[in-house]
């Protein structure tokens, strides 16, 4: 029970966005059918795609928790990064593609204007739900941000679920504002093509968000190093050991959002017996795991290099 509660807490951003988007999608499709609004239909597709994206992220998180086995000795954590990349593709291909296509059709073959009141009601309802989901995402993000800017935290983040929801909700709020302006302008100026232009504008916003998400997801999928502060902590622990005469390199890679593999090449002092070297390696591993729990796999290789230079801890 405690584990289930922990997972619900961990995924509160994704669950909040999922419940909001399902309700909003239904309301938008009903409004689009009644009013004939292209931008409202586009917004319905947008919310439907977002709902599917949240389901994929939850699926990816569930698969990423599978334990390591012979086929995947470092576990399945990076599967989440694969599904994050799929989400970015879906936003671009389905969300942006359908929005631009629908907008173009509405410009080429404008539909007669109908009573926009239901659109305004649904847009207000959607703003409230999306705003709530966005506020949850911002609160969770701010809790991790510290002194960093949002963009710095997004670039450093190894958990794509949080920043994907933040990007999606931000794009959704902007899209709702554009849809509202499009519906109002279409009726104010008596020109239904304006609604189609609004739909195309929403599509371009989604395309831009998809490109940003794909860029971040690609980096995680290929493999990114740990946060500089974590690497610095590893260097500091190694520097305290007088038996180590030089550290050649410390290389890290995330195997999951909260799991890091570290490979250390170090030169030990010449008169250190083999037995003491083995004990030293085990001691260092225990100390690293105690101070940095995210280090799930630690590899330390004693290695002499004639040109090895002791590097200072990284800030």
């Amino acid at each position: 029970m405690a584990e289930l509660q922990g997972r619900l807490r961990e995924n509160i951003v994704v669950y909040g966005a999922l419940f909001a988007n399902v309700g909003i999608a239904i309301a938008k499709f009903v409004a689009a059918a009644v009013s004939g609004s292209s931008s409202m239909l586009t917004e319905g597709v947008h919310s439907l795609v977002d709902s599917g994206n949240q389901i994929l992220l939850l699926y990816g998180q569930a698969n990423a928790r599978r334990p390591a086995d012979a086929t995947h000795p470092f576990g399945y954590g990076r599967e989440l990064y694969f599904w994050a990349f799929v989400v970015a593709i879906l936003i671009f291909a389905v969300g942006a593609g359908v929005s631009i296509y629908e907008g173009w059709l509405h410009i080429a073959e404008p539909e007669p204007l109908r009573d926009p009141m239901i659109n305004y009601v649904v847009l207000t309802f959607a703003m409230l739900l999306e705003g709530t989901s966005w506020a949850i995402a911002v609160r969770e993000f701010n809790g991790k941000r510290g002194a960093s800017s949002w963009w710095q935290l997004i670039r450093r983040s190894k958990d794509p679920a949080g920043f994907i929801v933040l990007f999606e909700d931000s794009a959704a709020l902007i899209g709702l504002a554009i849809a509202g302006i499009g519906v109002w302008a279409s009726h104010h100026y008596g020109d239904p093509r304006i609604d189609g232009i609004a739909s195309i504008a929403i599509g371009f916003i989604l395309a831009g968000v998809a490109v940003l998400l794909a860029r971040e997801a690609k980096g995680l999928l290929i493999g990114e190093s740990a946060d500089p502060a974590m690497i610095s902590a590893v260097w500091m622990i190694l520097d305290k050991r007088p038996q180590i005469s030089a550290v050649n390199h410390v290389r890290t890679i995330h195997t999951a959002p909260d799991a890091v593999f570290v490979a250390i090449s170090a030169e030990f002092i010449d008169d250190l017996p083999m037995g003491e070297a083995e004990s030293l390696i085990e001691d260092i591993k225990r100390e690293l795991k105690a101070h940095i729990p995210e280090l799930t796999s630690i590899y330390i290789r004693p290695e002499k290099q004639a040109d090895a230079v002791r590097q200072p801890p990284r800030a």
Side-chain angles (χ1 to χ4, degrees):
M1 186 63 181
E3 181 180 356
L4 178 60
Q5 290 176 342
R7 290 183 181 180
L8 288 173
R9 173 62 184 171
E10 176 187 347
N11 297 323
I12 187 172
V13 174
V14 181
Y15 281 120
L18 174 60
F19 294 142
N21 281 313
V22 169
I24 293 170
I26 295 172
K28 286 176 179 175
F29 282 129
V30 171
V34 173
S35 66
S37 170
S38 173
S39 60
M40 188 57 65
L41 178 61
T42 290
E43 277 295 306
V45 172
H46 178 186
S47 295
L48 190 63
V49 171
D50 284 352
S51 301
N53 290 343
Q54 271 93 61
I55 292 173
L56 287 178
L57 288 175
L58 290 170
Y59 175 76
Q61 286 178 333
N63 281 351
R65 295 189 186 97
R66 287 184 292 171
D69 54 30
T71 307
H72 297 85
F74 295 106
Y76 291 80
R78 289 171 71 177
E79 184 168 342
L80 175 59
Y81 302 153
F82 166 77
W83 289 111
F85 192 75
V86 171
V87 164
I89 294 173
L90 286 176
I91 293 175
F92 186 86
V94 181
V98 171
S99 298
I100 294 172
Y101 177 72
E102 275 295 322
W104 175 254
L105 286 183
H106 211 68
I107 293 173
E109 299 178 6
E111 294 184 13
L113 297 173
R114 304 177 195 173
D115 185 2
M117 183 53 64
I118 188 172
N119 288 338
Y120 295 137
V121 172
V122 170
L123 285 171
T124 301
F125 172 72
M127 278 280 192
L128 291 173
L129 288 183
E130 286 286 8
T132 301
S133 175
W134 182 83
I136 293 173
V138 169
R139 184 186 65 189
E140 292 294 312
F141 225 62
N142 277 335
K144 305 173 184 176
R145 189 161 62 92
S148 304
S149 68
W150 277 24
W151 183 244
Q152 287 173 331
L153 182 58
I154 289 170
R155 293 304 306 271
R156 292 204 318 263
S157 176
K158 311 304 177 185
D159 186 358
F163 65 74
I164 284 178
V165 171
L166 184 63
F167 273 46
E168 283 183 345
D169 286 349
S170 299
L173 289 172
I174 295 172
L176 288 170
I178 293 175
I181 293 171
V183 171
W184 174 84
S186 294
H187 286 80
H188 182 76
Y189 295 105
D191 187 352
R193 293 175 298 179
I194 298 177
D195 194 40
I197 294 173
S199 180
I200 292 176
I202 294 170
F204 278 115
I205 289 173
L206 290 177
V209 168
V211 170
L212 288 174
L213 291 179
R215 176 184 172 183
E216 294 302 311
K218 183 192 77 169
L220 293 170
L221 192 59
I222 294 173
E224 289 188 355
S225 63
D227 186 272
M230 184 184 296
I231 298 175
S232 178
V234 173
W235 277 94
M236 292 177 67
I237 289 173
L238 296 173
D239 276 343
K240 292 188 303 182
R241 297 285 179 166
Q243 303 94 328
I244 296 178
S245 59
V247 177
N248 304 320
H249 64 71
V250 173
R251 293 171 183 164
T252 60
I253 188 170
H254 268 266
T255 57
D258 56 353
V260 175
F261 169 81
V262 58
I264 299 168
S265 170
E267 183 175 348
F268 294 173
I269 57 177
D270 293 334
D271 58 350
L272 186 67
M274 180 63 70
E276 291 186 22
E278 292 175 353
S279 299
L280 174 63
I281 289 173
E282 293 304 316
D283 287 344
I284 294 173
K285 286 183 178 180
R286 281 193 291 270
E287 185 176 2
L288 286 171
K289 287 186 177 182
H291 285 81
I292 312 171
E294 294 87 353
L295 297 180
T296 53
S297 299
I298 302 172
Y299 174 75
I300 302 176
R301 178 180 179 180
E303 185 176 32
K304 282 185 175 293
Q305 288 191 8
D307 57 346
V309 178
R310 192 172 184 76
Q311 301 180 33
R314 300 184 182 182

